[in-house]
Amino acid sequence: MSSVKDQSEHQNHAQNIIVIHPGSHYLRIGRASDVNPVRILHAIARRRKPGGETHRDGVLPPVVEKTKELLQELEDGRLQITHTLQSCVQSNGQRRYATPPQQIAAFNRRSQPEVLPDGQTDWCDKDGRDVVIGEDVLQLNPNGEYNVHFPIRRGELNLHAGVGGSLFAVMSDLQSIWEHVLHTRLEIKPTDMKHYRAVLVIPDIYNRAHLREYVTLLLNHIGFGCCFLVQDHVAATFGAGLGYACVVDVGDGKTSVSCVEDGISHPNTRVRFDYGGADVTQVFYWLLQKCAFPYRECNEQMPLDGVLLRRLKEDFGHVNLDVCGSVEKSFTVQHPATPKRHYTLQVGDEAMVAPLSIFYTELLAITGANRTAPKTQNRCSSQPHPEDCFDAEYIRETGRRNKDNLEQSAIDSGALANTDAPDEDLVVDGLEQEREAKSNDRDYLLPGGQLVGLDQAVIQSIERCPTDELKRKMYSCILIVGGGIKFAGIASWLQSQLARKIPAAYRSEQSIVSSPKDMDPEITSWKGAAVMSCLESVVELWLTEPEWTRYGLRILREKAVFMW
């Protein structure tokens, strides 16, 4: 009888906890007791003021200018992957074969769309709303009078110099979107918010100043009774039911890797790259165009076409070596103010080449994503803030003063009377960390300045673990999460690439987990945060509004479940 009562109390407790996982493309939000979160497009459109500036964030990252050099780089990257695939064998031992792109292009050029009856709709600009949120943003006329904002890009707040790009504007957009879902989809009244607790899933590499803004938003502006923050990689291990793992998280706009053990993400192993599923979509579109994509009016800068291309990449993309030659596929295009059309096309190895651009990053040159330096924890978290009395700036300055005092004491006592110690030897921990961060960045770049592929990033992350035993554990358990890499066979490909490159001392049995407990890898981190929030051990982690108002960042440093 008591177990039934405990279960009931646990359920009631979980219903009052709201788990929020904000992504670059989707927002996932729901009660800790829910099986799945609400998932909506993480976008907002605001009606432009008369004569105001125009700003429209795209669904996909913009393509860089297609110079002769860029097209040659892309073609070289495509041929490299194509030759690699040709050298692979099927599961029956036979060599793979591919249909020539010219043959596929000839079929696609002959393909004409079928116009479907009664399929025309209108743009939804006419309903008079000043603010439009979620998927409705896609139904707005791209040439209309709304500015479109995605508040998070590449895993960070989308700050920019244009209209709506200030920190205040971005946080206001987040508040509007999150409150809209809380009030309309989760049916929580604004007056009841104080009875609810919030768990926010943050990136494994975070910006301290932004964490402060998030907590202020949750407690002071939205009005939750209390909250705590958890890193996405730590949450992912809870969601997968793993005590330790090297977590590989490929989202829509960023890819991150880190090693997690017993609920702690090791800071030295964390790295984030500014590429993800959206960049793969642009690669896929370029490959489709090379084989005469029959939807010739497609414009990847238009929101609905961007969403269509994203869906085609997810539906067609795979890394199944047993699929050879061309495959006939079909899709439907339904845009407001135009008739509904049905297309048929052939796709060959393009469906495999695009997903493999995560491993062969030359193809990511299409968006310039392979030229951006990776981010490590030290680079992203060392911004000084007046409220944070033990930030990197404080440690650096006090460390320098302490060394100066020690040196002066030694001189006074005569110990250093006859030595000329060079200044550069007096390096403090904070400066060492900065130097280490810069060297970490170089490790993730090839000599030509290009990012390494995902397999190499995993190895370099694990090699930064402090002990051989921990390295061995991480090589034995690699967890793949995120919505940007949901392709059949991708885990097997990663495993085969790692098997050839892992140091001989650690070549034990590798286990790559891509859908733990048959769960959608998109929600693994959300589910893990929900599990964590209901544990008895997190009672002391909850941060209340009075505590936050009184102590600010100091209390967050004290209560955070991650190393600050």
Side-chain angles (χ1 to χ4, degrees), residues 468-490:
D468 288 347
E469 180 57 32
L470 189 57
K471 290 177 187 177
R472 188 169 286 105
K473 285 166 73 174
M474 293 302 159
Y475 277 123
S476 72
C477 185
I478 295 167
L479 172 63
I480 301 177
V481 297
I485 198 172
K486 292 198 298 183
F487 302 107
I490 200 80

Side-chain angles (χ1 to χ4, degrees), residues 446-507:
L446 294 172
Q450 261 176 335
L451 292 184
V452 299
L454 190 62
D455 49 343
Q456 199 66 42
V458 168
I459 288 173
Q460 291 185 7
S461 175
I462 294 176
E463 285 301 310
R464 289 211 169 82
C465 288
T467 66
D468 288 347
E469 180 57 32
L470 189 57
K471 290 177 187 177
R472 188 169 286 105
K473 285 166 73 174
M474 293 302 159
Y475 277 123
S476 72
C477 185
I478 295 167
L479 172 63
I480 301 177
V481 297
I485 198 172
K486 292 198 298 183
F487 302 107
I490 200 80
S492 300
W493 184 274
L494 176 59
Q495 190 156 11
S496 67
Q497 296 300 304
L498 289 175
R500 298 207 307 256
K501 298 172 184 174
I502 288 177
Y506 305 116
R507 281 183 190 156

Side-chain angles (χ1 to χ4, degrees), residues 24-26 41-43 55-64 66 137-138 148-150 152-154 158 251-254 274-289 293 295 298-314 335 364 366-369 483-484 487:
S24 303
H25 191 75
Y26 285 120
L41 190 73
H42 208 185
H55 180 87
R56 291 194 185 93
D57 288 327
V59 170
L60 299 178
V63 169
V64 299
K66 290 178 181 172
V137 170
L138 302 173
V148 176
H149 306 280
F150 281 78
I152 294 179
R153 274 290 147 99
R154 305 289 188 196
N158 185 17
D252 192 66
K254 57 95 178 165
D274 282 347
Y275 64 73
D279 302 279
V280 176
T281 301
Q282 287 287 29
V283 171
F284 187 52
Y285 181 44
W286 175 72
L287 293 167
L288 289 177
Q289 287 175 302
F293 188 45
Y295 174 31
C298 183
N299 179 354
E300 82 277 7
Q301 294 178 349
M302 294 293 132
L304 282 172
D305 282 341
V307 170
L308 170 72
L309 291 169
R310 189 178 192 274
R311 194 178 76 239
L312 295 184
K313 174 204 67 178
E314 291 173 352
H335 292 356
L364 299 177
I366 190 84
T367 60
F487 302 107

Side-chain angles (χ1 to χ4, degrees), residues 140 221 256 261 290 358 438 511 531 535 537 539:
L140 295 171
H221 297 160
S256 53
E261 182 189 34
K290 283 185 69 68
I358 293 284
K438 287 173 182 171
S511 170
V531 170
L535 298 176
S537 55
V539 170

Side-chain angles (χ1 to χ4, degrees), residues 16-90:
N16 283 357
I17 297 173
I18 306 299
V19 181
I20 305 170
H21 187 187
S24 303
H25 191 75
Y26 285 120
L27 165 68
R28 296 171 187 86
I29 180 170
R31 291 176 169 85
S33 57
D34 293 341
V35 176
N36 294 307
V38 171
R39 185 182 82 160
I40 75 161
L41 190 73
H42 208 185
I44 184 169
R46 296 186 184 275
R47 191 180 293 276
R48 200 178 307 119
K49 292 175 181 174
E53 286 182 53
T54 300
H55 180 87
R56 291 194 185 93
D57 288 327
V59 170
L60 299 178
V63 169
V64 299
E65 184 186 353
K66 290 178 181 172
T67 61
K68 187 178 176 183
E69 292 77 17
L70 174 70
L71 291 172
Q72 187 60 52
E73 183 179 358
L74 292 173
E75 187 60 22
D76 291 346
R78 184 187 73 82
L79 288 172
Q80 181 188 3
I81 299 176
T82 300
H83 292 152
T84 301
L85 290 173
Q86 285 175 352
S87 67
C88 294
V89 295
Q90 302 174 59

Side-chain angles (χ1 to χ4, degrees), residues 136-173:
D136 287 352
V137 170
L138 302 173
Q139 302 300 321
L140 295 171
N141 189 330
N143 302 313
E145 51 192 28
Y146 285 88
N147 286 344
V148 176
H149 306 280
F150 281 78
I152 294 179
R153 274 290 147 99
R154 305 289 188 196
E156 290 189 341
L157 296 180
N158 185 17
L159 306 179
H160 54 82
V163 62
S166 68
L167 181 59
F168 177 80
V170 171
M171 297 312 296
S172 296
D173 287 343

